[in-house]
Amino acid sequence: MDAQEAKFYLAVLAVAIVTGIIILYFMLSFVRQHRRYVRLQKERIYAEIVTLERERRRIASDLHDDIGPMLSSIKLNITCLDTELPQDLEIISKAGSYIDETIGSLRTISNNLMPGTLLRKGLEEAIREFTGKMGGPAGLAILIEYAPGLSLGRDREVNLFRIIQEIVHNTIKHARATRLDIHVYAENEQLILATRDNGQGFEGGMYSRKGAGLGLKNLESRTEIMGGRVLMHSVPGKGTQFYFEIPLE
Amino acid sequence: MTNQDITVLIADDHEIFRDGLSLVLLKAPGIRLLGEAENGRELLNLVHQLRPDIVLTDLKMPVMDGIEATREICIKYPGTGVIALSMFDEDEQIMDMLEAGARGYLLKNAGKREIITAVNAVYHDGNYYCISTSQKLAALIAKNRSLSRSEKMEFSSREKEIILLICRQFTAKQIAGKLFLSSRTVEGHRTRILEKMKVRNTAGVVIYALKHNLVTEKDLLER
């Protein structure tokens, strides 16, 4: 090998090293960029969910604490009208029952936005109340096993409640199940939420449909912001199972 | 207005609601509205000055809530009967009020007539439970030993049948259909049952029946 040739190889080597460094640099910065993006995405979802729940709570309590008494007051005022005319009496009684209906809707809306039971009596009572209302009319027997003495904190309770809500809705809407089991317990510093229905199951496709897909995404986001993970298992004809693992600091 | 008028104070933090309620009470014969308070602290001061027969008070109020105020009124002024006012779905707070010594409660969308009935019932040493008492709340009240004291009466087997159906929220007409009786006969039985139990409405019957084991909580759910 003469000096000329050695110089050439050296130059090639240098170019290769430089190119390698550049490629490596780009790759690293791409990975870093991606990680940052994922982190930001997570933070954004977290902020979104926190804001959403806060707003829901505020609207629910405004409806309950402010609009409710105002409607009641309108009813009291109307029923105080003095009249002996049967037509007028009928109008008064009708108006009264309309206001009662309005208050009834207000109660439903406020409760859907944020169940008072969840805030006052915690997750277990809230799930029992919710499933009690939903299961019967849909012909779905919902069995709940809730380990005593779990202390989860309000945010986690709200997230878990929304997850269970979503699963119950999905089961009623899509699964054609007659039974849904919900278990909540702690194991190795982890909170476990496990559900199983005896419905028709699906082959992965169901959740990719429009609308239903958003539901599953929601389950994932809520699990993610609690730092947990979710597994889903479904076999056509053999029902669907969900398994959530959430760290219990 | 006579000296026999039942004197009443009301407390609620919503002025509009107080206005509506005072309109009802001002127009009601035999009832004299003494004043209004917008929180529990104000209510206590007014009770101290005016010694009313009856207090109608909201649960949630700033400064001092209705539960704390009720507790104090019932200890210091046993001659004053407290009726709690609540929005829907506040079963647990209603229980807190009853445990604090309130002798009755009304939902805020109660009608004029029911409000007047409640004031009279509590004034005449009774209890009053709102017509729209949920079965869950009825069960809670019945379970609580210190509440709704009442002596046990004897009921005929026909009356027991009717009590069970009343507890399951059947109307007199539906009960008549089920038992092959005339509506009027059922109404007659119903009136006698209410009298024997010393209660004013279905909620009272449910609470009495649960308390004296005439029905069980499970009975209520079957239809």
Side-chain angles (χ1 to χ4, degrees):
Chain A
M1 200 195 297
D2 57 18
Q4 196 79 28
E5 214 172 328
K7 241 183 189 173
F8 174 73
Y9 282 120
L10 217 61
V12 169
L13 194 67
V15 169
I17 287 170
V18 169
T19 319
I21 287 172
I22 290 172
I23 289 173
L24 201 68
Y25 174 77
F26 274 110
M27 272 167 68
L28 278 176
S29 74
F30 178 77
V31 167
R32 220 170 39 220
Q33 195 73 16
H34 184 73
R35 277 195 191 145
R36 217 179 114 224
Y37 174 77
V38 168
R39 204 188 64 231
L40 282 176
Q41 192 77 354
K42 242 188 209 174
E43 278 169 8
R44 218 197 57 216
I45 292 171
Y46 180 75
E48 250 171 36
I49 289 181
V50 168
T51 315
L52 180 78
E53 294 297 347
R54 196 192 300 134
E55 284 300 286
R56 278 185 180 164
R57 192 149 56 221
R58 191 181 60 77
I59 297 169
S61 96
D62 284 354
L63 288 176
H64 182 279
D65 297 343
D66 293 333
I67 309 297
M70 285 183 198
L71 284 169
S72 302
S73 176
I74 295 174
K75 184 176 168 187
L76 290 175
N77 275 276
I78 294 173
T79 53
C80 278
L81 288 170
D82 275 320
T83 174
E84 301 291 321
L85 286 175
Q87 297 101 307
D88 287 352
L89 285 172
E90 205 195 315
I91 293 175
I92 291 173
S93 116
K94 240 196 216 163
S97 59
Y98 291 158
I99 294 174
D100 283 344
E101 269 175 49
T102 312
I103 292 179
S105 315
L106 194 81
R107 171 193 184 144
T108 313
I109 295 168
S110 148
N111 211 49
N112 284 346
L113 281 169
M114 180 60 71
T117 312
L118 182 59
L119 300 182
R120 287 196 300 267
K121 300 201 84 181
L123 182 62
E124 181 178 3
E125 278 297 311
I127 305 174
R128 290 193 190 279
E129 188 185 272
F130 172 72
T131 54
K133 252 185 262 169
M134 298 296 296
L140 178 68
I142 305 177
L143 279 95
I144 296 165
E145 258 181 54
Y146 194 101
L150 293 175
S151 128
L152 306 173
R154 184 195 268 178
D155 284 351
R156 236 191 252 134
E157 289 204 331
V158 171
N159 280 320
L160 284 162
F161 182 77
R162 298 292 181 210
I163 288 174
I164 292 168
Q165 239 180 344
E166 187 69 46
I167 291 174
V168 171
H169 279 306
N170 276 343
T171 308
I172 289 173
K173 230 164 143 187
H174 306 289
R176 294 202 195 144
T178 55
R179 185 181 158 144
L180 171 66
D181 287 36
I182 300 174
H183 295 250
V184 182
Y185 56 96
E187 198 180 73
N188 306 327
E189 307 287 305
Q190 301 272 327
L191 177 82
I192 310 294
L193 163 63
T195 72
R196 173 206 295 265
D197 72 44
N198 67 349
Q200 60 183 358
F202 56 90
E203 218 150 357
M206 185 181 103
Y207 282 103
S208 54
R209 261 193 243 145
K210 239 198 245 165
L214 196 65
L216 190 65
K217 195 96 206 105
N218 223 329
L219 296 185
E220 280 169 354
S221 313
R222 291 207 183 253
T223 312
E224 219 162 77
I225 65 168
M226 292 188 284
R229 62 192 192 108
V230 49
L231 300 169
M232 186 184 68
H233 180 70
S234 188
V235 177
K238 299 216 161 142
T240 304
Q241 284 170 260
F242 280 99
Y243 184 86
F244 297 81
E245 244 179 27
I246 318 271
L248 269 175
E249 293 123 344
Chain B
M1 270 180 216
T2 65
N3 285 334
Q4 272 91 55
D5 280 351
I6 304 172
T7 53
V8 178
L9 274 181
I10 58 179
D12 194 295
D13 53 336
H14 289 86
E15 198 187 343
I16 297 179
F17 183 75
R18 285 202 309 274
D19 281 351
L21 191 59
S22 56
L23 191 62
V24 170
L25 296 170
L26 286 170
K27 283 195 153 197
I31 292 175
R32 187 149 48 98
L33 180 64
L34 297 180
E36 302 175 8
E38 55 181 276
N39 61 55
R41 172 73 45 218
E42 251 186 67
L43 174 65
L44 279 179
N45 291 336
L46 284 178
V47 170
H48 177 72
Q49 287 167 34
L50 304 168
R51 304 295 162 102
D53 298 318
I54 300 292
V55 163
L56 288 160
T57 176
D58 190 15
L59 309 173
K60 273 188 254 169
M61 288 184 289
V63 188
M64 182 195 270
D65 67 14
I67 298 164
E68 213 182 320
T70 300
R71 199 170 290 130
E72 230 171 284
I73 291 170
C74 292
I75 293 170
K76 288 191 189 155
Y77 316 97
T80 297
V82 179
I83 300 173
L85 297 165
S86 84
M87 271 323 277
F88 45 81
D89 75 15
E90 298 180 316
D91 288 2
E92 303 97 46
Q93 284 110 308
I94 292 170
M95 280 311 293
D96 289 345
M97 283 295 267
L98 294 173
E99 278 167 8
R103 295 225 298 268
Y105 87 93
L106 286 167
L107 287 194
K108 283 189 175 173
N109 62 326
K112 174 174 71 170
R113 218 168 295 147
E114 195 181 7
I115 294 172
I116 295 170
T117 308
V119 169
N120 277 292
V122 172
Y123 176 70
H124 291 111
D125 263 346
N127 295 89
Y128 188 86
Y129 305 112
C130 188
I131 292 178
S132 26
T133 299
S134 66
Q135 295 195 333
K136 195 175 122 211
L137 180 59
L140 282 175
I141 295 173
K143 256 189 235 156
N144 193 309
R145 278 163 190 280
S146 60
L147 297 177
S148 65
R149 269 150 296 170
S150 49
E151 47 186 308
K152 185 163 185 177
M153 301 291 294
E154 285 303 317
F155 294 93
S156 69
S157 55
R158 176 61 92 196
E159 283 170 340
K160 281 183 192 159
E161 256 179 312
I162 293 175
I163 290 170
L164 177 61
L165 293 171
I166 291 175
C167 290
R168 288 186 186 161
Q169 315 281 322
F170 286 108
T171 63
K173 214 169 164 189
Q174 289 169 319
I175 296 175
K178 278 188 175 274
L179 300 180
F180 305 106
L181 297 169
S182 74
S183 297
R184 191 182 294 190
T185 314
V186 173
E187 279 297 348
H189 279 298
R190 193 185 134 93
T191 311
R192 242 185 333 278
I193 290 167
L194 293 177
E195 271 169 19
K196 273 192 186 176
M197 291 180 172
K198 295 201 181 77
V199 298
R200 313 237 164 199
N201 56 34
T202 304
V205 174
V206 178
I207 292 164
Y208 183 102
L210 283 169
K211 186 126 193 131
H212 295 289
N213 300 320
L214 295 167
V215 298
T216 63
E217 264 183 78
K218 230 173 135 194
D219 286 332
L220 298 183
L221 300 173
E222 289 162 30
R223 286 206 65 150

